[in-house]
Amino acid sequence: MREFLLSKQGQHPLDKDLIFLLEDIATSCRVISHQIRGGAFAGQLGATDSTNVQGETQKQLDVIANEVFVRHCSNCNRVAALVSEEVDEVYWLKARPQPGDYLVYFDPLDGSSNLDVNLSVGSIFSISQLPSAIDASDDRSVLLAGSAQICAGYSVYGPSTSLVITTGSGVNGFTHQQGTGEFRLTFPDMVIPETTSEFAINASRYTLWEPPVRRYYDECIAGTNGPRGKTFNMRWTASMVAEVHRILTRGGVFLYPEDAGNADAGGKLRLMYEANPMALIVEQAGGAATTGSDRILDLQPSSHHQRVPVILGSREEVDVLNRYHRDA
Ligand code: AHG
Ligand code: MN
Ligand code: MN
């Protein structure tokens, strides 16, 4: 992976500190993958007694994965602060953050309800840079729009462990090689097909959805005789990382809309460490990511655990969904 990161990425070579940070994140993913695969031996499956700031019961591996990320991301002396799904406050590492210092946002374990049933889970991360020198105690300084991200990625802990990264000039996928421990470039220049006939949504929430989402779903399942005139396939893995990885591999559209059950919270998925990094990856692979009305990367965050509606994937389907939201 280092050789790849050292090669020219876009207009400029990557900053050495960013390369070190990405290597530390890759190490975190390798360690988390190992912890998950050995979870049953170590008695690490199952829940803890605690809830996180989201009000969700933490799995033991949520807590372990968070500790792994914090430990490895703290190695880089250019990291000013960490924002984790599992930690209420912003974790400031530098007393006097400087312009250009890194802010690292992460969901240490995504889809953790899949752990106990041995299905795919993942980690998601996003990196931005502080635009100016600030007072470390000011948590509002981490509220940067997704368009400010200089890098985003995720790791899927599936049949193999993959690491998918963008530094703003395309998307590249690496696979962890057992034995050597290397992440090797196996999926260069990942592109999302513009057209698809596969969608992913938690359809058990049908009665809670807004009319545009119901319309889209109804038209998809109406098949060849419906207004879309073709058969659609449906998937739901309950892990956004696994859904996005499938979409990067063979196309598709993923929806977690705002509905009557999550409207008070603003949606289900978190903007800064789920929606933003996935939106950057999806756009860099030629897809689109919106709330139904706004481009995700343009949203100005109001809090670091803010939730948002998410629609992402193949451009044509995201356009259809945007249009249905406009029509409504
Ligand atoms: P997390 O495990 O980090 O809390 O995230 C789970 C998210 C996302 O990965 C997935 O798409 C969605 O929640 C699953 O939601 P349902 O439980 O409604 O299926
Ligand atoms: Mn998540
Ligand atoms: Mn999580």
Side-chain angles (χ1 to χ4, degrees):
M1 194 174 96
R2 180 178 300 177
E3 195 184 340
F4 173 84
L5 295 173
L6 284 169
S7 70
K8 195 161 168 272
Q9 300 285 309
Q11 297 293 73
H12 306 287
L14 295 182
D15 196 321
K16 293 281 186 301
D17 288 322
L18 180 61
I19 295 178
F20 294 151
L21 175 57
L22 281 169
E23 290 190 332
D24 286 331
I25 290 174
T27 301
S28 305
C29 297
R30 214 162 36 223
V31 172
I32 293 167
S33 170
H34 179 73
Q35 297 280 1
I36 290 169
R37 295 187 199 290
F41 306 125
Q44 287 177 172
L45 298 179
T48 64
D49 295 333
S50 48
T51 49
N52 63 14
V53 61
Q54 330 278 338
E56 298 160 348
T57 304
Q58 289 175 306
K59 302 277 185 179
Q60 294 180 62
L61 280 161
D62 282 324
V63 176
I64 292 166
N66 179 63
E67 287 166 359
V68 170
F69 258 89
V70 170
R71 186 165 76 242
H72 291 281
C73 291
S74 305
N75 280 339
C76 172
N77 60 14
R78 286 273 306 283
V79 176
L82 306 175
V83 175
S84 167
E85 177 187 327
E86 302 303 335
V87 184
D88 193 350
E89 296 89 19
V90 176
Y91 182 26
W92 288 98
L93 292 168
K94 287 185 89 168
R96 293 188 188 288
Q98 296 302 306
D101 279 353
Y102 301 129
L103 302 168
V104 187
Y105 309 81
F106 53 88
D107 175 355
L109 210 43
D110 175 69
S112 50
S113 69
N114 278 356
L115 283 168
D116 299 347
V117 291
N118 198 17
L119 292 175
S120 290
V121 290
S123 301
I124 313 173
F125 67 91
S126 155
I127 305 171
S128 294
Q129 285 182 290
L130 271 179
S132 49
I134 48 140
D135 173 358
S137 63
D138 187 358
D139 286 0
R140 284 170 307 174
S141 0
V142 304
L143 302 179
L144 303 177
S147 52
Q149 293 171 101
I150 56 165
C151 178
Y154 66 80
S155 187
V156 200
Y157 314 117
S160 63
T161 293
S162 342
L163 182 62
V164 173
I165 296 177
T166 181
T167 55
S169 58
V171 179
N172 289 281
F174 301 79
T175 304
H176 177 240
Q177 187 177 42
Q178 297 273 356
T180 65
E182 278 180 283
F183 274 107
R184 294 181 53 182
L185 181 64
T186 42
F187 303 99
D189 300 320
M190 298 176 91
V191 173
I192 300 175
E194 236 175 85
T195 308
T196 184
S197 45
E198 191 163 70
F199 67 96
I201 191 164
N202 182 347
S204 69
R205 305 181 71 84
Y206 184 90
T207 56
L208 304 171
W209 293 338
E210 298 285 341
V213 177
R214 279 199 208 188
R215 174 181 174 191
Y216 180 77
Y217 175 87
D218 289 342
E219 292 184 0
C220 286
I221 62 165
T224 43
N225 296 326
R228 300 300 305 272
K230 63 175 180 178
T231 306
F232 279 80
N233 190 26
M234 193 181 90
R235 285 286 182 274
W236 188 250
T237 67
S239 162
M240 189 197 201
V241 169
E243 315 278 7
V244 169
H245 197 62
R246 185 187 59 250
I247 290 170
L248 278 170
T249 308
R250 67 179 191 207
V253 63
F254 165 89
L255 298 87
Y256 214 118
E258 187 174 303
D259 63 33
N262 62 34
D264 288 348
K268 160 93 178 187
L269 297 171
R270 281 55 57 113
L271 173 61
M272 304 214 72
Y273 40 81
E274 291 179 317
N276 271 344
M278 291 314 201
L280 184 64
I281 292 166
V282 165
E283 284 199 4
Q284 283 293 318
T290 74
T291 61
S293 50
D294 298 299
R295 179 178 176 240
I296 302 262
L297 295 180
D298 288 337
L299 299 176
Q300 175 54 51
S302 54
S303 80
H304 56 274
H305 292 298
Q306 181 181 347
R307 296 178 190 254
V308 284
V310 175
I311 297 170
L312 59 77
S314 293
R315 194 165 277 280
E316 275 184 11
E317 293 308 300
V318 177
D319 286 348
V320 170
L321 278 150
N322 290 343
R323 181 153 49 81
Y324 290 2
H325 279 83
R326 269 199 308 275
D327 290 353

